[in-house]
Amino acid sequence: MAEQIIEKSSSADDDPNKNDKKDDFTADPEFFSCMLQPSPSNSDPDYIGIRRLLLFRKAQSGILRRKDWRCNGKGYVSYRNYINRPRNWESSYIPSYSSTPGNSGRWVPSPSPLSHIFEADSWSTSRELQSGSQALSRSSSNISNGDLPRKKAEPAYSFVGMHCIFDQCKAMVTVIKFGHMSSDLLAYGASDGSLTVCNVSMPPSVIKQLVGHSKDVTDFDFSSNNLYIASSSMDKTVRVWDISKGVCIRVIYGVSSQLCIRFHPVNNNFLSVGNANKEITVFNFSTGRTITKVNFDSEVTAMDHDHTGQLIFCGDAQGCIYTVSMNSHTGALSRSHRHRANGNRKSPVTTVQYRTFSLLARGPVLLAFARDGSLSFFSVSLEIQGYLTLRCSLKLTPRLHSIRASFCPLLSLEKGEYIVAGSEDANVYFYDLTKPRHTCVNKLQGHGYAVIGIAWNHGENLLASSDFGGTVIVWKRAKTS
């Protein structure tokens, strides 16, 4: 072995490109461990083997770290600054850059939370600042708690950057959702009447463009097998789409704007639609015929089913939340309870979302979000036909647009009760309802316009957000132990 090493060293000295070959030698963990292993005079084979293994792993870890920095478009200066970082790096100021999303479906590097911070320092002192500012803003777009990192921050709501970006739509993206029990099937509707179905796995791509609505897409829902999409629109129609073929297979005409829509979770042949005519109508998915309807006091602006399909929770334009009983066999509806979500204020409800279990309520819960910024958290009594009890509420800044909010189900199982919502200031905010004073725990920065839609995928490792300018950003959540 010693002779082989000598031969390699001598050949490297004779070569005019010896610097490159020396780099290859230092990048070879096997060669590195052979050079530094104990002399043959030590006759203990276990000691020699263990030391060689440790040296091999030490060299390999350094190589992998350098490769990680190099693959994310970063150079030696960034790596050196990271190694030689000061002890008080936590208190250093981190510059924030405005985000300019790039091409549709383009992958964005997702470095570790520490790496993008120090890369910002190194790039800001180099000549590559102007050419690399866009890539830097994407990789460092999420900084929690006042744009400063904290060692003791909750890892549950940490994000490592942008997963991918879709920006081919030029109109406001009004609603966005992942497929039923799906981690990579994503769809979003826009104010120009278009529906876009995407795949966010590697490589991200647009699967189908569903064109047919003449006005804003107000809501849509996936069938349980993710083969069909039912959409509602301001053009007074409900359309059913075959995703694989990309065609509209049924159009149901109404007399007013159709504002929200849901498939029945157990019997997908039932399609519930809330409209501006102050009613919820149940359609037969196969035939398009009306089965039944129930009237309300105002326009039905948001709705959701419980997991059994026996209850419908809906919100209206006056800020009221209703519980409606539904027969899973016949589709018959009957109103049972009414609750005003935001006191005496009459503001349209933009989000109604049901969840089967919450640690905070020790049972099923309901989230209601209104345009005036009122966020209400209810516990649901299934024994009394879905009776709602207000557990806590949060008053946020009033919204001009119909901005949506969402539960964070898996994230909330670790600690806290987390809600994610869009905002007019182009940020995505995370709120912990168990913290009465410092409720906002994180924000994601990257959009250039007001954030309208929010959606989690099934594994809750990806969060999709859409904005007024037509950009959709898929954020990648940090892995937690």
Side-chain angles (χ1 to χ4, degrees):
M1 180 61 69
E3 294 177 358
Q4 295 177 2
I5 295 173
I6 294 173
E7 290 176 0
K8 289 184 178 181
S9 301
S10 61
S11 62
D13 293 334
D14 296 336
D15 195 343
N17 297 325
K18 60 181 180 179
N19 292 330
D20 296 338
K21 292 195 173 184
K22 285 182 180 180
D23 292 339
D24 294 339
F25 289 159
T26 57
D28 186 359
E30 184 71 26
F31 178 71
F32 181 76
S33 60
C34 290
M35 289 185 63
L36 298 182
Q37 71 177 350
S39 61
S41 60
N42 193 329
S43 59
D44 187 358
D46 294 336
Y47 173 77
I48 296 176
I50 292 174
R51 179 173 174 83
R52 181 171 177 179
L53 176 63
L54 294 176
L55 291 170
F56 178 84
R57 290 183 176 178
K58 182 177 181 181
Q60 190 178 34
S61 65
I63 292 168
L64 294 178
R65 177 169 291 183
R66 288 195 296 273
K67 284 184 178 180
D68 178 65
W69 281 75
R70 192 179 303 115
C71 291
N72 282 289
K74 303 162 187 175
Y76 170 74
V77 176
S78 303
Y79 184 72
R80 182 196 61 192
N81 292 346
Y82 171 72
I83 296 299
N84 298 328
R85 65 190 185 279
R87 292 185 179 181
N88 60 343
W89 61 271
E90 287 180 306
S91 60
S92 61
Y93 173 74
I94 306 301
S96 59
Y97 301 92
S98 60
S99 173
T100 54
N103 297 328
S104 299
R106 180 178 179 181
W107 283 95
V108 183
S110 298
S112 64
L114 295 180
S115 63
H116 78 270
I117 294 173
F118 298 112
E119 182 63 12
D121 291 338
S122 65
W123 277 44
S124 63
T125 58
S126 67
R127 291 178 298 175
E128 300 174 347
L129 177 60
Q130 296 179 352
S131 62
S133 61
Q134 292 184 357
L136 177 59
S137 63
R138 295 173 187 168
S139 63
S140 61
S141 57
N142 65 306
I143 302 176
S144 64
N145 293 340
D147 295 351
L148 290 178
R150 297 171 59 184
K151 279 186 177 180
K152 295 183 180 180
E154 289 288 342
Y157 48 74
S158 299
F159 283 78
V160 295
M162 298 180 187
H163 181 67
C164 59
I165 299 173
F166 298 95
D167 61 356
Q168 81 283 352
C169 185
K170 303 305 178 185
M172 176 178 63
V173 177
T174 54
V175 56
I176 183 169
K177 291 183 182 179
F178 278 92
H180 181 69
M181 303 289 286
S182 176
S183 298
D184 51 13
L185 181 62
L186 178 68
Y188 54 91
S191 60
D192 60 358
S194 64
L195 267 168
T196 306
V197 183
C198 308
N199 190 333
V200 299
S201 61
M202 185 182 297
S205 60
V206 174
I207 300 175
K208 295 291 182 181
Q209 286 275 4
L210 308 179
V211 180
H213 286 295
S214 59
K215 293 184 179 179
D216 303 39
V217 175
T218 56
D219 199 5
F220 69 88
D221 197 20
F222 284 93
S223 62
S224 58
N225 56 9
N226 291 330
L227 296 180
Y228 303 97
I229 284 180
S231 60
S232 59
S233 173
M234 297 292 288
D235 63 5
K236 305 179 182 181
T237 65
V238 171
R239 291 178 179 264
V240 179
W241 308 85
D242 187 319
I243 298 178
S244 60
K245 298 179 181 178
V247 297
C248 178
I249 61 176
R250 183 164 292 105
V251 181
I252 302 174
Y253 295 92
V255 296
S256 62
S257 299
Q258 310 298 311
L259 304 179
C260 51
I261 189 168
R262 288 293 182 274
F263 275 102
H264 192 279
V266 178
N267 186 352
N268 266 192
N269 203 36
F270 292 151
L271 196 59
S272 303
V273 183
N275 56 41
N277 200 31
K278 305 180 182 180
E279 61 187 14
I280 288 181
T281 307
V282 178
F283 295 101
N284 186 304
F285 173 77
S286 302
T287 63
R289 295 182 178 179
T290 301
I291 297 176
T292 185
K293 62 179 62 177
V294 62
N295 295 320
F296 296 88
D297 301 332
S298 184
E299 301 176 356
V300 180
T301 55
M303 65 185 304
D304 199 10
H305 275 281
D306 74 327
H307 63 289
T308 65
Q310 298 178 4
L311 297 174
I312 296 178
F313 302 98
C314 60
D316 66 7
Q318 300 297 323
C320 294
I321 305 296
Y322 299 88
T323 302
V324 181
S325 299
M326 182 174 185
N327 190 309
S328 300
H329 301 287
T330 64
L333 301 177
S334 61
R335 284 176 48 179
S336 56
H337 302 290
R338 173 189 173 188
H339 192 287
R340 182 168 290 279
N342 49 5
N344 295 325
R345 295 183 298 273
K346 296 181 179 181
S347 179
V349 178
T350 61
T351 301
V352 172
Q353 191 176 31
Y354 173 85
R355 200 168 107 214
T356 55
F357 181 77
S358 166
L359 288 175
L360 183 61
R362 298 295 177 181
V365 290
L366 188 76
L367 172 68
F369 188 49
R371 189 178 290 185
D372 66 352
S374 300
L375 192 150
S376 304
F377 184 80
F378 299 93
S379 61
V380 181
S381 175
L382 298 180
E383 293 80 8
I384 318 178
Q385 294 183 334
Y387 183 79
L388 302 178
T389 303
L390 182 64
R391 299 301 299 266
C392 59
S393 60
L394 185 64
K395 187 63 177 71
L396 306 178
T397 307
R399 269 64 171 163
L400 298 176
H401 304 90
S402 296
I403 293 178
R404 304 173 191 261
S406 174
F407 281 119
C408 305
L410 299 181
L411 192 152
S412 300
L413 291 177
E414 297 187 15
K415 184 181 179 182
E417 185 62 50
Y418 297 103
I419 305 295
V420 58
S423 178
E424 302 283 353
D425 61 0
N427 296 326
V428 179
Y429 287 94
F430 287 80
Y431 302 97
D432 185 359
L433 299 182
T434 61
K435 296 181 178 180
R437 291 188 177 182
H438 305 288
T439 310
C440 182
V441 295
N442 193 12
K443 68 177 178 179
L444 304 180
Q445 298 173 309
H447 286 280
Y449 300 89
V451 179
I452 306 296
I454 293 290
W456 285 103
N457 71 338
H458 174 58
E460 211 168 295
N461 62 315
L462 296 177
L463 175 69
S465 58
S466 62
D467 64 25
F468 183 83
T471 301
V472 172
I473 298 179
V474 181
W475 308 87
K476 188 174 182 181
R477 186 178 156 210
K479 293 183 179 179
T480 57
S481 58

